[in-house]
Amino acid sequence: MALIRKYVFGETDDDGSLLILAAIHGNETAGTAACLRLMEELCREHIKIKKGRLTIVPVCNPEAYRRDVRSVEENLNRVMTMHENPATYEQRLANEICPLIKDNRVILDLHSTHCEGDVPFAFCDYPDNYNKKLIDALEVGYVLEGWPDIYSRQAEIQDFSTEHCAHIYGNTGTTLECGYHKSPAAVELAYRAVIQTLAAFGMIDGVEAKSYPKQHIRMDSYVIKQRAGKLCRAYKHLDKVSAGEPLAVYDDGELLTAPKDGFMLLPNLNAEIGTEWYYLGSNAM
Ligand SMILES: [Zn+2]
């Protein structure tokens, strides 16, 4: 029996196909709420798909969603590839989600973040014309670039994300971080993102396609938390950092500092040992 449920609207993918994913991380519920609202409007025919095919998976990690946790056994967004012998719950989920990613030209993966006041942003991992059109339609001020580069350079953790999976299959996707997941504003942002994406690709009538200006930030590196320690302050995503600034300290006294002026990205104050602690970035040229 399938672990995930998908909902399909529109007849054919001849005119394009869009896949919306939500709750890849089970406690990131803003995207799910936005999907449920959209599905109700589609069922009531307040919104109609006029061309192409829309597939919605409102809950990609059902067990984590039920428990209100990020993952059950491992990060689903690091194992998004086909597993011949799936060893974990998330690998079994990946085996159901990857064929959907393969079957859709455009993928919008809705995430949300963990602190009140978190700034919404999108990732642009594999730029192409479809990706540009998709990202232009999202109402966020920041785009992070260069994720695949830092993962291939540092090679500590494999990057099997939804965007990587889409890229491997010749499709395109983006990850949208909608802001704090308990905030109604994040649900609104996710909902508008989906509507604007449908408008951008000409799949619905009655909504004017818009394009939002963005600041592009290049991701330079990431830091894996090697042992017990803590960040030097309660950093927030996109906080500015200066060269030499102390960022984190291990319990044994080793201090980690910023190598140059730039931005603190995706800090995880409660990172577990062996996982990403924070990223650093700078203005993209
Ligand atoms: Zn997430």
Side-chain angles (χ1 to χ4, degrees):
M1 203 173 80
L3 295 170
I4 59 160
R5 293 202 185 136
K6 64 172 183 178
Y7 302 86
V8 182
F9 301 86
E11 297 296 318
T12 161
D13 65 356
D14 289 352
D15 293 319
S17 49
L18 173 65
L19 172 65
I20 309 288
L21 302 174
I24 285 272
H25 297 132
N27 57 353
E28 299 177 7
T29 54
T32 303
C35 285
L36 297 178
R37 176 173 160 195
L38 175 68
M39 284 160 55
E40 181 176 9
E41 290 176 345
L42 287 160
C43 290
R44 287 182 192 274
E45 299 196 337
H46 293 169
I47 296 172
K48 285 186 195 164
I49 301 300
K50 70 164 182 178
K51 68 168 198 172
R53 186 190 64 204
L54 169 65
T55 304
I56 302 173
V57 183
V59 180
C60 289
N61 192 329
E63 184 58 25
Y65 180 79
R66 193 180 69 76
R67 296 188 203 171
D68 196 24
V69 294
R70 183 176 172 83
S71 320
V72 177
E73 293 182 79
E74 61 182 330
N75 185 347
L76 177 55
N77 214 22
R78 298 288 179 280
V79 295
M80 197 57 73
T81 184
M82 290 303 290
H83 302 268
E84 205 173 320
N85 298 301
T88 65
Y89 176 69
E90 273 80 9
Q91 290 180 16
R92 295 206 300 280
L93 293 174
N95 280 0
E96 292 187 20
I97 297 166
C98 286
L100 297 177
I101 293 176
K102 185 179 181 183
D103 206 25
N104 283 276
R105 184 64 182 85
V106 179
I107 293 94
L108 178 59
D109 182 11
L110 300 170
H111 289 243
S112 46
T113 53
H114 301 265
C115 298
E116 230 164 332
D118 279 344
V119 179
F121 64 97
F123 286 96
C124 174
D125 289 358
Y126 302 97
D128 64 14
N129 288 340
Y130 275 84
N131 197 261
K132 183 176 182 328
K133 199 169 179 177
L134 173 58
I135 287 176
D136 278 352
L138 307 177
E139 199 178 337
V140 295
Y142 297 92
V143 178
L144 299 194
E145 301 176 353
W147 177 281
D149 295 346
I150 60 170
Y151 275 80
S152 63
R153 208 162 51 230
Q154 296 191 214
E156 290 161 278
I157 289 179
Q158 294 260 26
D159 171 36
F160 288 119
S161 63
T162 53
E163 285 180 62
H164 178 264
C165 183
H167 178 68
I168 293 295
Y169 290 131
N171 296 324
T172 195
T174 193
T175 306
L176 175 62
E177 297 281 356
C178 301
Y180 178 48
H181 41 239
K182 305 288 184 215
S183 157
V187 179
E188 276 297 316
L189 190 134
Y191 176 78
R192 288 197 304 274
V194 177
I195 295 292
Q196 281 298 322
T197 302
L198 288 166
F201 288 97
M203 293 173 70
I204 56 172
D205 277 332
V207 178
E208 190 193 341
K210 290 184 196 154
S211 165
Y212 298 89
K214 293 170 178 76
Q215 182 176 351
H216 287 249
I217 293 175
R218 180 101 203 143
M219 302 182 81
D220 295 323
S221 59
Y222 66 85
V223 171
I224 299 288
K225 188 175 183 178
Q226 305 288 359
R227 50 197 187 278
K230 61 177 192 298
L231 295 181
C232 292
R233 62 182 176 91
Y235 279 107
K236 283 194 158 184
H237 178 57
L238 294 165
D239 274 350
K240 287 200 166 125
V241 299
S242 310
E245 178 175 327
L247 301 176
V249 60
Y250 284 114
D251 288 356
D252 59 17
E254 189 195 344
L255 188 65
L256 305 179
T257 58
K260 61 176 185 173
D261 292 353
F263 297 92
M264 167 64 77
L265 305 173
L266 309 167
N268 186 349
L269 296 172
N270 305 311
E272 295 192 11
I273 291 166
T275 67
E276 298 96 321
W277 208 356
Y278 59 87
Y279 298 70
L280 294 168
S282 49
N283 276 317
M285 289 301 130

